[in-house]
Amino acid sequence: MDQDTAAAMGRRPARDRLLDTADELFSRDGIARTSVDQVLHHAHVAPGTLYAHFGGKDGLIAAALHRRLDRWEQVWQEAVDAAGTPAEKLLALFDAVADYRDRYTPGRGCAFLATGTELPDLDHPVRAVIEAESTLLVTRLNQLAETVTTEDPAALAGNVLLVYDGAMAGLQRGRTPDPLGHGKMLARCLIQNAIETEQARVQR
């Protein structure tokens, strides 16, 4: 960390520095490989401050992921609002991921699924955040799909979600050029097929 970055961090509230550092290190190195001492060192925060704000590493993990969820929900909604047609609003999911990665810590793929893999204990405080992200995805995709077609919108939403999950896995694997772009293209084909199927049914 250079002096300018350290100085800028020093001007931010300690809680924000902890969340920023946790988000960066957990995304880059993984939760298990990131110690509390590493977070404290990079955030320039004393141990007592971390425990006062979050109660420990588990609380910090949950808080950092919850902030990521809040940011993700906002970025996705902005992408939906900016899209012009129902089909484009459904496809905005892929644009939102790219926008989020430009604005915030990119991560190695889906931070929510990665966290769930590292912390499978159903009683861990982070599980509620992971479930909330899954609920957001399913609920919003279903709502958007209903504006695209009345011909089984839940199936369309589920197919788009599968493509999204594949694109996020592609980001983590790092072998496919532009997995988000490919994912959006595949999702567009699914949407067009749903629209054409409905039009054909109406015309019969």
PDB file of all heavy atoms in Angstrom, residues 124-162:
ATOM      1  N   HIS A 124     -24.141 -20.128  10.728  1.00  0.00           N
ATOM      2  CA  HIS A 124     -23.230 -18.985  10.635  1.00  0.00           C
ATOM      3  C   HIS A 124     -24.033 -17.732  10.299  1.00  0.00           C
ATOM      4  O   HIS A 124     -24.965 -17.792   9.482  1.00  0.00           O
ATOM      5  CB  HIS A 124     -22.178 -19.232   9.552  1.00  0.00           C
ATOM      6  CG  HIS A 124     -21.015 -18.287   9.615  1.00  0.00           C
ATOM      7  ND1 HIS A 124     -21.096 -16.983   9.169  1.00  0.00           N
ATOM      8  CD2 HIS A 124     -19.752 -18.441  10.082  1.00  0.00           C
ATOM      9  CE1 HIS A 124     -19.934 -16.384   9.351  1.00  0.00           C
ATOM     10  NE2 HIS A 124     -19.097 -17.247   9.902  1.00  0.00           N
ATOM     11  N   PRO A 125     -23.687 -16.586  10.894  1.00  0.00           N
ATOM     12  CA  PRO A 125     -24.459 -15.348  10.639  1.00  0.00           C
ATOM     13  C   PRO A 125     -24.475 -14.911   9.190  1.00  0.00           C
ATOM     14  O   PRO A 125     -25.365 -14.152   8.780  1.00  0.00           O
ATOM     15  CB  PRO A 125     -23.752 -14.304  11.521  1.00  0.00           C
ATOM     16  CG  PRO A 125     -22.418 -14.891  11.872  1.00  0.00           C
ATOM     17  CD  PRO A 125     -22.621 -16.370  11.896  1.00  0.00           C
ATOM     18  N   VAL A 126     -23.541 -15.384   8.398  1.00  0.00           N
ATOM     19  CA  VAL A 126     -23.503 -14.974   6.995  1.00  0.00           C
ATOM     20  C   VAL A 126     -24.573 -15.671   6.158  1.00  0.00           C
ATOM     21  O   VAL A 126     -24.915 -15.211   5.066  1.00  0.00           O
ATOM     22  CB  VAL A 126     -22.095 -15.259   6.408  1.00  0.00           C
ATOM     23  CG1 VAL A 126     -21.950 -16.715   5.988  1.00  0.00           C
ATOM     24  CG2 VAL A 126     -21.795 -14.329   5.243  1.00  0.00           C
ATOM     25  N   ARG A 127     -25.131 -16.776   6.669  1.00  0.00           N
ATOM     26  CA  ARG A 127     -26.102 -17.531   5.871  1.00  0.00           C
ATOM     27  C   ARG A 127     -27.333 -16.695   5.519  1.00  0.00           C
ATOM     28  O   ARG A 127     -27.904 -16.825   4.432  1.00  0.00           O
ATOM     29  CB  ARG A 127     -26.536 -18.792   6.623  1.00  0.00           C
ATOM     30  CG  ARG A 127     -25.435 -19.781   6.916  1.00  0.00           C
ATOM     31  CD  ARG A 127     -24.684 -20.239   5.696  1.00  0.00           C
ATOM     32  NE  ARG A 127     -25.536 -20.794   4.653  1.00  0.00           N
ATOM     33  CZ  ARG A 127     -25.080 -21.362   3.562  1.00  0.00           C
ATOM     34  NH1 ARG A 127     -23.783 -21.455   3.351  1.00  0.00           N
ATOM     35  NH2 ARG A 127     -25.908 -21.846   2.649  1.00  0.00           N
ATOM     36  N   ALA A 128     -27.749 -15.834   6.419  1.00  0.00           N
ATOM     37  CA  ALA A 128     -28.926 -15.000   6.159  1.00  0.00           C
ATOM     38  C   ALA A 128     -28.687 -14.063   4.981  1.00  0.00           C
ATOM     39  O   ALA A 128     -29.596 -13.801   4.187  1.00  0.00           O
ATOM     40  CB  ALA A 128     -29.292 -14.195   7.405  1.00  0.00           C
ATOM     41  N   VAL A 129     -27.453 -13.566   4.851  1.00  0.00           N
ATOM     42  CA  VAL A 129     -27.132 -12.670   3.743  1.00  0.00           C
ATOM     43  C   VAL A 129     -27.112 -13.446   2.424  1.00  0.00           C
ATOM     44  O   VAL A 129     -27.608 -12.967   1.401  1.00  0.00           O
ATOM     45  CB  VAL A 129     -25.767 -11.985   3.973  1.00  0.00           C
ATOM     46  CG1 VAL A 129     -25.524 -10.919   2.903  1.00  0.00           C
ATOM     47  CG2 VAL A 129     -25.697 -11.362   5.362  1.00  0.00           C
ATOM     48  N   ILE A 130     -26.563 -14.648   2.454  1.00  0.00           N
ATOM     49  CA  ILE A 130     -26.520 -15.479   1.250  1.00  0.00           C
ATOM     50  C   ILE A 130     -27.936 -15.815   0.790  1.00  0.00           C
ATOM     51  O   ILE A 130     -28.252 -15.749  -0.406  1.00  0.00           O
ATOM     52  CB  ILE A 130     -25.710 -16.757   1.521  1.00  0.00           C
ATOM     53  CG1 ILE A 130     -24.256 -16.400   1.826  1.00  0.00           C
ATOM     54  CG2 ILE A 130     -25.794 -17.720   0.334  1.00  0.00           C
ATOM     55  CD1 ILE A 130     -23.423 -17.561   2.332  1.00  0.00           C
ATOM     56  N   GLU A 131     -28.805 -16.159   1.729  1.00  0.00           N
ATOM     57  CA  GLU A 131     -30.192 -16.462   1.384  1.00  0.00           C
ATOM     58  C   GLU A 131     -30.903 -15.229   0.835  1.00  0.00           C
ATOM     59  O   GLU A 131     -31.719 -15.330  -0.083  1.00  0.00           O
ATOM     60  CB  GLU A 131     -30.925 -16.997   2.611  1.00  0.00           C
ATOM     61  CG  GLU A 131     -30.506 -18.394   3.029  1.00  0.00           C
ATOM     62  CD  GLU A 131     -30.757 -19.424   1.936  1.00  0.00           C
ATOM     63  OE1 GLU A 131     -31.792 -19.340   1.249  1.00  0.00           O
ATOM     64  OE2 GLU A 131     -29.907 -20.313   1.758  1.00  0.00           O
ATOM     65  N   ALA A 132     -30.598 -14.067   1.397  1.00  0.00           N
ATOM     66  CA  ALA A 132     -31.223 -12.823   0.933  1.00  0.00           C
ATOM     67  C   ALA A 132     -30.814 -12.519  -0.506  1.00  0.00           C
ATOM     68  O   ALA A 132     -31.633 -12.057  -1.308  1.00  0.00           O
ATOM     69  CB  ALA A 132     -30.836 -11.661   1.847  1.00  0.00           C
ATOM     70  N   GLU A 133     -29.552 -12.807  -0.850  1.00  0.00           N
ATOM     71  CA  GLU A 133     -29.100 -12.570  -2.230  1.00  0.00           C
ATOM     72  C   GLU A 133     -29.790 -13.521  -3.192  1.00  0.00           C
ATOM     73  O   GLU A 133     -30.199 -13.120  -4.290  1.00  0.00           O
ATOM     74  CB  GLU A 133     -27.579 -12.741  -2.294  1.00  0.00           C
ATOM     75  CG  GLU A 133     -26.966 -12.295  -3.609  1.00  0.00           C
ATOM     76  CD  GLU A 133     -26.781 -13.441  -4.596  1.00  0.00           C
ATOM     77  OE1 GLU A 133     -26.905 -14.616  -4.174  1.00  0.00           O
ATOM     78  OE2 GLU A 133     -26.520 -13.166  -5.770  1.00  0.00           O
ATOM     79  N   SER A 134     -29.947 -14.777  -2.791  1.00  0.00           N
ATOM     80  CA  SER A 134     -30.640 -15.746  -3.643  1.00  0.00           C
ATOM     81  C   SER A 134     -32.099 -15.348  -3.841  1.00  0.00           C
ATOM     82  O   SER A 134     -32.640 -15.441  -4.961  1.00  0.00           O
ATOM     83  CB  SER A 134     -30.561 -17.146  -3.025  1.00  0.00           C
ATOM     84  OG  SER A 134     -29.227 -17.615  -3.000  1.00  0.00           O
ATOM     85  N   THR A 135     -32.726 -14.895  -2.772  1.00  0.00           N
ATOM     86  CA  THR A 135     -34.123 -14.454  -2.861  1.00  0.00           C
ATOM     87  C   THR A 135     -34.255 -13.252  -3.781  1.00  0.00           C
ATOM     88  O   THR A 135     -35.197 -13.161  -4.582  1.00  0.00           O
ATOM     89  CB  THR A 135     -34.656 -14.107  -1.461  1.00  0.00           C
ATOM     90  OG1 THR A 135     -34.607 -15.286  -0.639  1.00  0.00           O
ATOM     91  CG2 THR A 135     -36.089 -13.593  -1.531  1.00  0.00           C
ATOM     92  N   LEU A 136     -33.325 -12.314  -3.680  1.00  0.00           N
ATOM     93  CA  LEU A 136     -33.339 -11.143  -4.556  1.00  0.00           C
ATOM     94  C   LEU A 136     -33.248 -11.565  -6.016  1.00  0.00           C
ATOM     95  O   LEU A 136     -34.016 -11.075  -6.857  1.00  0.00           O
ATOM     96  CB  LEU A 136     -32.174 -10.216  -4.206  1.00  0.00           C
ATOM     97  CG  LEU A 136     -31.922  -9.051  -5.170  1.00  0.00           C
ATOM     98  CD1 LEU A 136     -33.090  -8.070  -5.161  1.00  0.00           C
ATOM     99  CD2 LEU A 136     -30.613  -8.339  -4.830  1.00  0.00           C
ATOM    100  N   LEU A 137     -32.323 -12.459  -6.322  1.00  0.00           N
ATOM    101  CA  LEU A 137     -32.155 -12.906  -7.706  1.00  0.00           C
ATOM    102  C   LEU A 137     -33.435 -13.548  -8.241  1.00  0.00           C
ATOM    103  O   LEU A 137     -33.928 -13.175  -9.310  1.00  0.00           O
ATOM    104  CB  LEU A 137     -31.010 -13.914  -7.789  1.00  0.00           C
ATOM    105  CG  LEU A 137     -29.592 -13.368  -7.956  1.00  0.00           C
ATOM    106  CD1 LEU A 137     -28.574 -14.501  -7.808  1.00  0.00           C
ATOM    107  CD2 LEU A 137     -29.425 -12.678  -9.298  1.00  0.00           C
ATOM    108  N   VAL A 138     -33.956 -14.500  -7.500  1.00  0.00           N
ATOM    109  CA  VAL A 138     -35.131 -15.241  -7.980  1.00  0.00           C
ATOM    110  C   VAL A 138     -36.345 -14.323  -8.088  1.00  0.00           C
ATOM    111  O   VAL A 138     -37.069 -14.339  -9.096  1.00  0.00           O
ATOM    112  CB  VAL A 138     -35.432 -16.422  -7.030  1.00  0.00           C
ATOM    113  CG1 VAL A 138     -36.770 -17.078  -7.395  1.00  0.00           C
ATOM    114  CG2 VAL A 138     -34.310 -17.447  -7.081  1.00  0.00           C
ATOM    115  N   THR A 139     -36.578 -13.506  -7.080  1.00  0.00           N
ATOM    116  CA  THR A 139     -37.759 -12.637  -7.063  1.00  0.00           C
ATOM    117  C   THR A 139     -37.717 -11.613  -8.189  1.00  0.00           C
ATOM    118  O   THR A 139     -38.683 -11.445  -8.945  1.00  0.00           O
ATOM    119  CB  THR A 139     -37.876 -11.921  -5.712  1.00  0.00           C
ATOM    120  OG1 THR A 139     -37.983 -12.894  -4.666  1.00  0.00           O
ATOM    121  CG2 THR A 139     -39.105 -11.024  -5.680  1.00  0.00           C
ATOM    122  N   ARG A 140     -36.574 -10.919  -8.318  1.00  0.00           N
ATOM    123  CA  ARG A 140     -36.504  -9.865  -9.332  1.00  0.00           C
ATOM    124  C   ARG A 140     -36.516 -10.444 -10.741  1.00  0.00           C
ATOM    125  O   ARG A 140     -37.169  -9.885 -11.633  1.00  0.00           O
ATOM    126  CB  ARG A 140     -35.257  -9.001  -9.110  1.00  0.00           C
ATOM    127  CG  ARG A 140     -35.180  -7.823 -10.071  1.00  0.00           C
ATOM    128  CD  ARG A 140     -34.047  -6.888  -9.722  1.00  0.00           C
ATOM    129  NE  ARG A 140     -34.326  -6.103  -8.537  1.00  0.00           N
ATOM    130  CZ  ARG A 140     -33.477  -5.224  -7.994  1.00  0.00           C
ATOM    131  NH1 ARG A 140     -32.289  -5.042  -8.553  1.00  0.00           N
ATOM    132  NH2 ARG A 140     -33.802  -4.540  -6.923  1.00  0.00           N
ATOM    133  N   LEU A 141     -35.830 -11.548 -10.962  1.00  0.00           N
ATOM    134  CA  LEU A 141     -35.849 -12.156 -12.292  1.00  0.00           C
ATOM    135  C   LEU A 141     -37.245 -12.619 -12.674  1.00  0.00           C
ATOM    136  O   LEU A 141     -37.674 -12.467 -13.825  1.00  0.00           O
ATOM    137  CB  LEU A 141     -34.858 -13.320 -12.362  1.00  0.00           C
ATOM    138  CG  LEU A 141     -33.373 -12.949 -12.413  1.00  0.00           C
ATOM    139  CD1 LEU A 141     -32.508 -14.199 -12.380  1.00  0.00           C
ATOM    140  CD2 LEU A 141     -33.048 -12.117 -13.646  1.00  0.00           C
ATOM    141  N   ASN A 142     -37.974 -13.176 -11.723  1.00  0.00           N
ATOM    142  CA  ASN A 142     -39.349 -13.585 -11.998  1.00  0.00           C
ATOM    143  C   ASN A 142     -40.229 -12.383 -12.331  1.00  0.00           C
ATOM    144  O   ASN A 142     -41.049 -12.436 -13.260  1.00  0.00           O
ATOM    145  CB  ASN A 142     -39.927 -14.352 -10.814  1.00  0.00           C
ATOM    146  CG  ASN A 142     -39.627 -15.840 -10.878  1.00  0.00           C
ATOM    147  OD1 ASN A 142     -40.256 -16.586 -11.616  1.00  0.00           O
ATOM    148  ND2 ASN A 142     -38.653 -16.276 -10.095  1.00  0.00           N
ATOM    149  N   GLN A 143     -40.069 -11.307 -11.578  1.00  0.00           N
ATOM    150  CA  GLN A 143     -40.852 -10.097 -11.840  1.00  0.00           C
ATOM    151  C   GLN A 143     -40.553  -9.544 -13.223  1.00  0.00           C
ATOM    152  O   GLN A 143     -41.467  -9.134 -13.963  1.00  0.00           O
ATOM    153  CB  GLN A 143     -40.559  -9.052 -10.771  1.00  0.00           C
ATOM    154  CG  GLN A 143     -41.091  -9.412  -9.392  1.00  0.00           C
ATOM    155  CD  GLN A 143     -40.608  -8.459  -8.301  1.00  0.00           C
ATOM    156  OE1 GLN A 143     -39.643  -7.719  -8.503  1.00  0.00           O
ATOM    157  NE2 GLN A 143     -41.267  -8.473  -7.162  1.00  0.00           N
ATOM    158  N   LEU A 144     -39.283  -9.510 -13.596  1.00  0.00           N
ATOM    159  CA  LEU A 144     -38.902  -8.983 -14.905  1.00  0.00           C
ATOM    160  C   LEU A 144     -39.354  -9.912 -16.028  1.00  0.00           C
ATOM    161  O   LEU A 144     -39.777  -9.445 -17.089  1.00  0.00           O
ATOM    162  CB  LEU A 144     -37.387  -8.776 -14.955  1.00  0.00           C
ATOM    163  CG  LEU A 144     -36.841  -7.680 -14.035  1.00  0.00           C
ATOM    164  CD1 LEU A 144     -35.320  -7.724 -13.990  1.00  0.00           C
ATOM    165  CD2 LEU A 144     -37.321  -6.302 -14.488  1.00  0.00           C
ATOM    166  N   ALA A 145     -39.262 -11.204 -15.808  1.00  0.00           N
ATOM    167  CA  ALA A 145     -39.689 -12.158 -16.837  1.00  0.00           C
ATOM    168  C   ALA A 145     -41.184 -12.058 -17.101  1.00  0.00           C
ATOM    169  O   ALA A 145     -41.643 -12.263 -18.230  1.00  0.00           O
ATOM    170  CB  ALA A 145     -39.315 -13.583 -16.416  1.00  0.00           C
ATOM    171  N   GLU A 146     -41.945 -11.734 -16.076  1.00  0.00           N
ATOM    172  CA  GLU A 146     -43.397 -11.591 -16.245  1.00  0.00           C
ATOM    173  C   GLU A 146     -43.763 -10.435 -17.163  1.00  0.00           C
ATOM    174  O   GLU A 146     -44.855 -10.416 -17.743  1.00  0.00           O
ATOM    175  CB  GLU A 146     -44.052 -11.402 -14.878  1.00  0.00           C
ATOM    176  CG  GLU A 146     -44.067 -12.679 -14.033  1.00  0.00           C
ATOM    177  CD  GLU A 146     -44.519 -12.442 -12.608  1.00  0.00           C
ATOM    178  OE1 GLU A 146     -44.790 -11.264 -12.267  1.00  0.00           O
ATOM    179  OE2 GLU A 146     -44.594 -13.411 -11.832  1.00  0.00           O
ATOM    180  N   THR A 147     -42.874  -9.471 -17.314  1.00  0.00           N
ATOM    181  CA  THR A 147     -43.133  -8.356 -18.235  1.00  0.00           C
ATOM    182  C   THR A 147     -42.706  -8.691 -19.658  1.00  0.00           C
ATOM    183  O   THR A 147     -43.008  -7.938 -20.587  1.00  0.00           O
ATOM    184  CB  THR A 147     -42.396  -7.076 -17.773  1.00  0.00           C
ATOM    185  OG1 THR A 147     -40.982  -7.255 -17.923  1.00  0.00           O
ATOM    186  CG2 THR A 147     -42.721  -6.748 -16.319  1.00  0.00           C
ATOM    187  N   VAL A 148     -41.975  -9.790 -19.812  1.00  0.00           N
ATOM    188  CA  VAL A 148     -41.500 -10.205 -21.132  1.00  0.00           C
ATOM    189  C   VAL A 148     -42.476 -11.173 -21.782  1.00  0.00           C
ATOM    190  O   VAL A 148     -42.768 -11.075 -22.978  1.00  0.00           O
ATOM    191  CB  VAL A 148     -40.106 -10.858 -21.024  1.00  0.00           C
ATOM    192  CG1 VAL A 148     -39.675 -11.459 -22.361  1.00  0.00           C
ATOM    193  CG2 VAL A 148     -39.080  -9.843 -20.544  1.00  0.00           C
ATOM    194  N   THR A 149     -42.992 -12.122 -21.003  1.00  0.00           N
ATOM    195  CA  THR A 149     -43.862 -13.148 -21.560  1.00  0.00           C
ATOM    196  C   THR A 149     -44.820 -13.670 -20.495  1.00  0.00           C
ATOM    197  O   THR A 149     -44.500 -13.654 -19.302  1.00  0.00           O
ATOM    198  CB  THR A 149     -43.023 -14.329 -22.100  1.00  0.00           C
ATOM    199  OG1 THR A 149     -43.892 -15.338 -22.622  1.00  0.00           O
ATOM    200  CG2 THR A 149     -42.171 -14.945 -21.001  1.00  0.00           C
ATOM    201  N   THR A 150     -45.962 -14.104 -20.943  1.00  0.00           N
ATOM    202  CA  THR A 150     -46.904 -14.797 -20.050  1.00  0.00           C
ATOM    203  C   THR A 150     -46.807 -16.300 -20.246  1.00  0.00           C
ATOM    204  O   THR A 150     -47.496 -17.060 -19.578  1.00  0.00           O
ATOM    205  CB  THR A 150     -48.355 -14.343 -20.338  1.00  0.00           C
ATOM    206  OG1 THR A 150     -48.664 -14.636 -21.717  1.00  0.00           O
ATOM    207  CG2 THR A 150     -48.522 -12.857 -20.079  1.00  0.00           C
ATOM    208  N   GLU A 151     -45.937 -16.731 -21.165  1.00  0.00           N
ATOM    209  CA  GLU A 151     -45.738 -18.148 -21.483  1.00  0.00           C
ATOM    210  C   GLU A 151     -44.674 -18.710 -20.539  1.00  0.00           C
ATOM    211  O   GLU A 151     -43.491 -18.811 -20.878  1.00  0.00           O
ATOM    212  CB  GLU A 151     -45.309 -18.312 -22.942  1.00  0.00           C
ATOM    213  CG  GLU A 151     -45.267 -19.738 -23.438  1.00  0.00           C
ATOM    214  CD  GLU A 151     -46.633 -20.292 -23.805  1.00  0.00           C
ATOM    215  OE1 GLU A 151     -47.579 -19.488 -23.931  1.00  0.00           O
ATOM    216  OE2 GLU A 151     -46.739 -21.509 -23.965  1.00  0.00           O
ATOM    217  N   ASP A 152     -45.088 -19.052 -19.317  1.00  0.00           N
ATOM    218  CA  ASP A 152     -44.201 -19.623 -18.301  1.00  0.00           C
ATOM    219  C   ASP A 152     -43.020 -18.706 -17.979  1.00  0.00           C
ATOM    220  O   ASP A 152     -41.852 -19.057 -18.220  1.00  0.00           O
ATOM    221  CB  ASP A 152     -43.693 -20.992 -18.744  1.00  0.00           C
ATOM    222  CG  ASP A 152     -43.229 -21.847 -17.566  1.00  0.00           C
ATOM    223  OD1 ASP A 152     -43.208 -21.333 -16.420  1.00  0.00           O
ATOM    224  OD2 ASP A 152     -42.885 -23.020 -17.784  1.00  0.00           O
ATOM    225  N   PRO A 153     -43.294 -17.527 -17.440  1.00  0.00           N
ATOM    226  CA  PRO A 153     -42.192 -16.606 -17.112  1.00  0.00           C
ATOM    227  C   PRO A 153     -41.237 -17.169 -16.064  1.00  0.00           C
ATOM    228  O   PRO A 153     -40.046 -16.831 -16.076  1.00  0.00           O
ATOM    229  CB  PRO A 153     -42.926 -15.359 -16.594  1.00  0.00           C
ATOM    230  CG  PRO A 153     -44.277 -15.843 -16.178  1.00  0.00           C
ATOM    231  CD  PRO A 153     -44.605 -16.953 -17.113  1.00  0.00           C
ATOM    232  N   ALA A 154     -41.754 -18.034 -15.170  1.00  0.00           N
ATOM    233  CA  ALA A 154     -40.871 -18.616 -14.154  1.00  0.00           C
ATOM    234  C   ALA A 154     -39.785 -19.474 -14.800  1.00  0.00           C
ATOM    235  O   ALA A 154     -38.631 -19.490 -14.335  1.00  0.00           O
ATOM    236  CB  ALA A 154     -41.684 -19.442 -13.166  1.00  0.00           C
ATOM    237  N   ALA A 155     -40.155 -20.192 -15.870  1.00  0.00           N
ATOM    238  CA  ALA A 155     -39.162 -21.006 -16.576  1.00  0.00           C
ATOM    239  C   ALA A 155     -38.118 -20.124 -17.237  1.00  0.00           C
ATOM    240  O   ALA A 155     -36.913 -20.427 -17.209  1.00  0.00           O
ATOM    241  CB  ALA A 155     -39.847 -21.891 -17.609  1.00  0.00           C
ATOM    242  N   LEU A 156     -38.562 -19.020 -17.835  1.00  0.00           N
ATOM    243  CA  LEU A 156     -37.619 -18.092 -18.457  1.00  0.00           C
ATOM    244  C   LEU A 156     -36.675 -17.511 -17.411  1.00  0.00           C
ATOM    245  O   LEU A 156     -35.463 -17.452 -17.623  1.00  0.00           O
ATOM    246  CB  LEU A 156     -38.377 -16.975 -19.168  1.00  0.00           C
ATOM    247  CG  LEU A 156     -37.510 -15.855 -19.771  1.00  0.00           C
ATOM    248  CD1 LEU A 156     -36.521 -16.416 -20.784  1.00  0.00           C
ATOM    249  CD2 LEU A 156     -38.392 -14.785 -20.409  1.00  0.00           C
ATOM    250  N   ALA A 157     -37.234 -17.092 -16.283  1.00  0.00           N
ATOM    251  CA  ALA A 157     -36.401 -16.533 -15.213  1.00  0.00           C
ATOM    252  C   ALA A 157     -35.389 -17.561 -14.718  1.00  0.00           C
ATOM    253  O   ALA A 157     -34.222 -17.244 -14.478  1.00  0.00           O
ATOM    254  CB  ALA A 157     -37.280 -16.057 -14.059  1.00  0.00           C
ATOM    255  N   GLY A 158     -35.822 -18.810 -14.573  1.00  0.00           N
ATOM    256  CA  GLY A 158     -34.919 -19.860 -14.123  1.00  0.00           C
ATOM    257  C   GLY A 158     -33.804 -20.125 -15.112  1.00  0.00           C
ATOM    258  O   GLY A 158     -32.643 -20.351 -14.726  1.00  0.00           O
ATOM    259  N   ASN A 159     -34.128 -20.084 -16.402  1.00  0.00           N
ATOM    260  CA  ASN A 159     -33.102 -20.290 -17.420  1.00  0.00           C
ATOM    261  C   ASN A 159     -32.089 -19.148 -17.439  1.00  0.00           C
ATOM    262  O   ASN A 159     -30.885 -19.375 -17.592  1.00  0.00           O
ATOM    263  CB  ASN A 159     -33.754 -20.432 -18.796  1.00  0.00           C
ATOM    264  CG  ASN A 159     -34.476 -21.753 -18.957  1.00  0.00           C
ATOM    265  OD1 ASN A 159     -34.169 -22.735 -18.273  1.00  0.00           O
ATOM    266  ND2 ASN A 159     -35.462 -21.791 -19.853  1.00  0.00           N
ATOM    267  N   VAL A 160     -32.575 -17.921 -17.285  1.00  0.00           N
ATOM    268  CA  VAL A 160     -31.663 -16.773 -17.235  1.00  0.00           C
ATOM    269  C   VAL A 160     -30.762 -16.879 -16.006  1.00  0.00           C
ATOM    270  O   VAL A 160     -29.564 -16.578 -16.065  1.00  0.00           O
ATOM    271  CB  VAL A 160     -32.451 -15.443 -17.229  1.00  0.00           C
ATOM    272  CG1 VAL A 160     -31.520 -14.257 -16.959  1.00  0.00           C
ATOM    273  CG2 VAL A 160     -33.169 -15.253 -18.559  1.00  0.00           C
ATOM    274  N   LEU A 161     -31.322 -17.345 -14.898  1.00  0.00           N
ATOM    275  CA  LEU A 161     -30.524 -17.505 -13.681  1.00  0.00           C
ATOM    276  C   LEU A 161     -29.431 -18.557 -13.880  1.00  0.00           C
ATOM    277  O   LEU A 161     -28.299 -18.380 -13.417  1.00  0.00           O
ATOM    278  CB  LEU A 161     -31.426 -17.893 -12.508  1.00  0.00           C
ATOM    279  CG  LEU A 161     -30.735 -18.120 -11.162  1.00  0.00           C
ATOM    280  CD1 LEU A 161     -29.928 -16.901 -10.740  1.00  0.00           C
ATOM    281  CD2 LEU A 161     -31.762 -18.484 -10.094  1.00  0.00           C
ATOM    282  N   LEU A 162     -29.755 -19.646 -14.567  1.00  0.00           N
ATOM    283  CA  LEU A 162     -28.745 -20.669 -14.846  1.00  0.00           C
ATOM    284  C   LEU A 162     -27.611 -20.103 -15.706  1.00  0.00           C
ATOM    285  O   LEU A 162     -26.426 -20.387 -15.467  1.00  0.00           O
ATOM    286  CB  LEU A 162     -29.384 -21.858 -15.551  1.00  0.00           C
ATOM    287  CG  LEU A 162     -30.174 -22.834 -14.678  1.00  0.00           C
ATOM    288  CD1 LEU A 162     -30.855 -23.882 -15.541  1.00  0.00           C
ATOM    289  CD2 LEU A 162     -29.260 -23.505 -13.659  1.00  0.00           C
TER     290      LEU A 162
END
